[in-house]
Amino acid sequence: MSAEHPRVARSSLACLPCRSRHLKCDGKRPFCSRCSTSGKLCQYAKSRRGGLDRAALAARREAQLAQKSSAAPVSSLSSTNASSDTISVSCVLESPPLTVDLESLSSDAVLEASHGEEAFDIDQDWLQSSTLSPAALPSPPIDINGDALLEAYYSRFHAFHPCVLPKRDLERFSCHPEIRSRLAPVLAVIRMIGAVYTRSPDLNQLRDHLHDCLIKAKPDDPFIVQARLLYSVPLYWQGDKVSAQQQMDSAISIARQIGMFQKEFATDNGYGDPVLQESWRRTWWQLYVVDGFYAGTTKTTPFETKDIEATVELPCKESEYESGIIPPSKTLDGFDSREFAFEKNDFSSFAYLIGSVRCAALALDVVTKGLSRNSSPVIVDSADSIIEGYLLLLPEERKQVISKSGEVDELMFQAIMAINASVIGLHRPFSDLRFDPVESVSSCSTDPPSNTSSSELVNIHTVRSLQAIQSQVRLLALPVRPFCHTPFITCMISVGTLGLLSACKFLYKGRELAVARDRIRMAIGCLRAIGDIWPQTARNLQEIQTIARDVLGIGPKMTPEGVQQHGKANSPNLNHGMLDSTKPLADLTSGFTPWDTLEELEPDMCLWFNLGATDK
């Protein structure tokens, strides 16, 4: 080796975080430069050098063992629910993972293992000190590298509801001495959702493990809010709506109790880490968004978070969150007054999704009150102006839901789908897109207006409904395959498809009818893609198919008695009239081939890529 490039020996004074990640450490006290820059907790292991010799260490260990044998035994590691005093210290030591047994490891073994220039700077004194008793020792590190289920979650679900830590930061915090044990419920739900997408045979075991993690975790931990929020999603879309609501109610209750909706919460609970602070902000707003989605999907779930005066700041852009470079946060007040800003104020897609749900909440209030056609001007003057204001103030870059590289902005996709579903829900009751009684079969449909008197604004309502439907169709036709989005768009698609079916029956003729039938085909195909993962969407798809057969005159029509009897309580079966709600979920979805019925809807398929010229 040349003199210009002398060999640099690895320092034995490296801090524990740098050692765990095999990073170069300058050894500065009390905090090394790397930890100070990244905002991580910097800790050093006590050195054994200059301490007791082997004989003294052995004598002290004998005394400690005698004292321990006379005291009550410790049955487990409280922070990790381990079954013995054995701990893994691979996040602390610089070597490959090592298991240290406090009962059997001798002082000589510790000294021999630490022999040489690259010795571990850790000893019995550190392991057995009163401040690090077996019950208080750091929890075992969480091995998440190369986890196929975790990879599936981040590649196929995280972008839909991005509140948990980015993958890189999750790996970083899995070695944090104060946080890694608290991550157990979040990691459990991540792996369970990953198992859904990979169709893992271990799904039931993963669900049981998640339940154990939720039971053992500290009940007021903000990580529990993340875990229960995310857990409610697969529960609902796998058909267990009661349990999904329980998880959601618990998440909201904990978030309110710990003040997660307040601005100070993220800073007070973020350990000085900007990414973790951003994750807390995102958790509250994701809770708000999903709560709104449930309210819009079920039509019966109360939108509890809607009336909470949140002061928490808005989430940053997704690219900033993933990179870890978090800019100063923007406020909800700034978003609400963005039309008065002279300079360009670039809010994130997440912020516009929040704004979309807030607008949809007003639409939901109007629809659930069952306004009649005579109340049409009220909608135009109040709720509709808010929705139109949102759409008009949407920046051009946010309207471009797909990038030049073909990546979809999932949050803007949800925002625009939701706002258009709200427009349809607002205007269709007062339009010429009349309701067919068979629509009551759909769990996503709204009740028809009780008053059918004419309105001078009927054409406005009809045009706005059709425009919103076409906007949804353009999103569904984005050239990205496979079609994979959050299951919450199921009812958004269904609402637009029901309106399009009404247009086929009451408005369209000739070429317009053919184009609309092609759009219905595409919407059903999109529902099918989601239904391949989520059984509840598969049920909703069967509902839409049965309605379509009846409205378009394909096959036997449902009798009024059949519609009244089943209504929204059950889902229709294409072959036998109705689904048997007592059958297991697997029986309802096995052998399900939506395309068999889809081919009956329109034998002459037209390519969507030709629709642009047709619409002109």
Side-chain angles (χ1 to χ4, degrees):
M1 182 173 295
S2 64
E4 290 80 3
H5 300 282
R7 180 179 181 271
V8 179
R10 182 162 49 181
S11 172
S12 62
L13 299 179
C15 69
L16 300 182
C18 289
R19 288 188 175 210
S20 67
R21 302 182 67 187
H22 303 280
L23 299 176
K24 192 173 182 180
C25 181
D26 58 14
K28 289 184 179 180
R29 304 294 181 108
F31 307 111
C32 76
S33 300
R34 188 180 298 276
C35 289
S36 299
T37 302
S38 61
K40 293 195 299 184
L41 181 64
C42 188
Q43 292 180 328
Y44 288 88
K46 288 180 62 177
S47 175
R48 70 176 197 287
R49 295 179 176 86
L52 303 177
D53 56 18
R54 290 187 178 185
L57 285 172
R60 187 181 62 182
R61 181 172 179 273
E62 291 295 333
Q64 289 174 339
L65 288 175
Q67 180 182 3
K68 182 178 180 180
S69 61
S70 62
V74 178
S75 61
S76 64
L77 297 177
S78 62
S79 61
T80 63
N81 302 297
S83 59
S84 69
D85 288 339
T86 301
I87 63 168
S88 174
V89 294
S90 62
C91 276
V92 182
L93 304 182
E94 201 172 45
S95 69
L98 172 68
T99 299
V100 179
D101 191 336
L102 299 183
E103 293 291 339
S104 59
L105 185 62
S106 68
S107 302
D108 293 350
V110 174
L111 292 172
E112 292 170 2
S114 61
H115 178 72
E117 181 178 317
E118 297 183 3
F120 303 137
D121 205 7
I122 185 171
D123 66 344
Q124 290 288 86
D125 187 33
W126 179 75
L127 287 173
Q128 298 184 351
S129 65
S130 59
T131 59
L132 285 173
S133 61
L137 283 169
S139 58
I142 305 170
D143 185 13
I144 61 178
N145 291 321
D147 190 318
L149 299 181
L150 183 138
E151 295 290 344
Y153 171 88
Y154 276 99
S155 63
R156 304 186 64 180
F157 186 86
H158 177 67
F160 307 156
H161 305 285
C163 60
V164 302
L165 291 164
K167 182 173 177 290
R168 181 182 63 181
D169 296 283
L170 186 70
E171 293 175 350
R172 175 165 61 91
F173 276 101
S174 68
C175 286
H176 193 290
E178 296 183 30
I179 294 180
R180 60 177 177 247
S181 64
R182 296 167 54 193
L183 283 173
V186 176
L187 284 167
V189 74
I190 284 176
R191 301 188 79 243
M192 198 212 81
I193 294 175
V196 172
Y197 279 93
T198 58
R199 305 182 189 277
S200 170
D202 300 326
L203 179 59
N204 290 334
Q205 292 89 330
L206 292 167
R207 185 183 292 112
D208 293 341
H209 174 65
L210 171 58
H211 289 168
D212 290 341
C213 290
L214 292 174
I215 292 172
K216 295 175 181 178
K218 189 177 179 181
D220 59 350
D221 194 320
F223 283 112
I224 295 297
V225 178
Q226 290 184 348
R228 293 190 182 277
L229 164 64
L230 292 177
Y231 186 30
S232 74
V233 178
L235 282 174
Y236 184 90
W237 293 103
Q238 287 178 330
D240 191 352
K241 299 180 180 180
V242 174
S243 297
Q245 188 61 53
Q246 291 173 348
Q247 293 296 329
M248 193 66 184
D249 290 343
S250 178
I252 294 174
S253 176
I254 296 172
R256 297 183 68 167
Q257 176 186 346
I258 63 179
M260 187 172 269
F261 58 92
Q262 297 173 344
K263 177 181 177 180
E264 299 78 14
F265 180 87
T267 304
D268 294 343
N269 295 271
Y271 288 84
D273 190 283
V275 179
L276 183 58
Q277 293 172 8
E278 173 69 10
S279 178
W280 294 144
R281 290 189 287 268
R282 285 168 168 262
T283 300
W284 170 257
W285 286 120
Q286 190 65 75
L287 194 69
Y288 173 85
V289 167
V290 173
D291 193 23
F293 282 173
Y294 277 128
T297 298
T298 65
K299 307 296 189 301
T300 57
T301 303
F303 192 173
E304 292 187 24
T305 57
K306 179 186 63 174
D307 299 322
I308 298 177
E309 296 184 4
T311 59
V312 59
E313 294 165 318
L314 296 174
C316 64
K317 296 179 182 178
E318 298 311 297
S319 59
E320 295 167 338
Y321 187 43
E322 293 297 324
S323 69
I325 304 175
I326 310 298
S329 300
K330 295 180 172 62
T331 65
L332 187 61
D333 289 340
F335 183 84
D336 286 340
S337 59
R338 63 193 182 281
E339 67 270 27
F340 303 116
F342 292 108
E343 70 283 353
K344 181 180 179 181
N345 204 342
D346 189 15
F347 290 93
S348 66
S349 297
F350 207 147
Y352 280 102
L353 173 58
I354 296 166
S356 173
V357 174
R358 294 174 73 209
C359 291
L362 175 59
L364 180 65
D365 287 342
V366 174
V367 172
T368 53
K369 289 178 182 177
L371 295 178
S372 66
R373 282 177 177 258
N374 291 332
S375 302
S376 171
V378 176
I379 298 177
V380 175
D381 293 340
S382 57
D384 195 50
S385 62
I386 295 178
I387 293 178
E388 288 301 314
Y390 172 89
L391 293 172
L392 291 171
L393 289 175
L394 200 61
E396 286 299 323
E397 59 269 21
R398 296 294 168 223
K399 296 177 183 178
Q400 301 296 325
V401 178
I402 186 170
S403 67
K404 293 180 180 179
S405 60
E407 296 179 355
V408 173
D409 185 336
E410 292 292 344
L411 301 183
M412 284 309 305
F413 184 94
Q414 295 175 36
I416 298 178
M417 286 292 294
I419 204 74
N420 281 295
S422 300
V423 171
I424 297 167
L426 274 174
H427 289 284
R428 190 187 165 198
F430 313 106
S431 72
D432 280 332
L433 303 180
R434 286 172 281 176
F435 286 78
D436 191 295
V438 75
E439 289 188 34
S440 63
V441 167
S442 173
S443 56
C444 294
S445 67
T446 57
D447 295 328
S450 57
N451 191 328
T452 58
S453 61
S454 61
S455 168
E456 69 279 8
L457 302 177
V458 63
N459 290 340
I460 294 178
H461 293 303
T462 302
V463 170
R464 287 187 173 175
S465 297
L466 292 175
Q467 286 176 342
I469 293 171
Q470 291 171 5
S471 178
Q472 283 192 337
V473 167
R474 285 192 290 271
L475 286 178
L476 300 182
L478 290 174
V480 178
R481 294 295 179 268
F483 185 89
C484 184
H485 301 282
T486 175
F488 283 108
I489 68 169
T490 296
C491 274
M492 303 176 197
I493 298 175
S494 298
V495 167
T497 305
L498 291 175
L500 199 54
L501 284 168
S502 178
C504 288
K505 183 173 183 178
F506 298 110
L507 291 182
Y508 290 152
K509 299 181 184 300
R511 182 59 183 167
E512 282 186 326
L513 178 60
V515 170
R517 297 273 283 268
D518 286 334
R519 290 174 172 176
I520 292 170
R521 175 178 292 105
M522 183 181 64
I524 290 179
C526 292
L527 288 174
R528 179 200 182 195
I530 302 175
D532 286 342
I533 302 295
W534 304 108
Q536 182 58 46
T537 301
R539 287 192 174 103
N540 293 350
L541 171 57
Q542 290 181 313
E543 296 169 358
I544 295 296
Q545 287 178 307
T546 298
I547 296 170
R549 290 168 64 93
D550 190 90
V551 170
L552 299 178
I554 301 171
K557 295 182 69 68
M558 292 188 67
T559 63
E561 292 77 11
V563 173
Q564 183 177 6
Q565 176 183 355
H566 298 289
K568 299 178 183 179
N570 297 292
S571 301
N573 184 297
L574 297 178
N575 297 321
H576 305 289
M578 302 303 294
L579 281 176
D580 185 355
S581 60
T582 63
K583 288 185 178 181
L585 193 59
D587 295 342
L588 298 177
T589 57
S590 61
F592 177 48
T593 311
W595 292 110
D596 294 343
T597 301
L598 198 57
E599 292 172 355
E600 300 176 15
L601 295 180
E602 180 62 58
D604 181 21
M605 286 192 67
C606 298
L607 293 176
W608 164 246
F609 300 103
N610 296 328
L611 296 182
T614 305
D615 292 341
K616 293 181 180 179

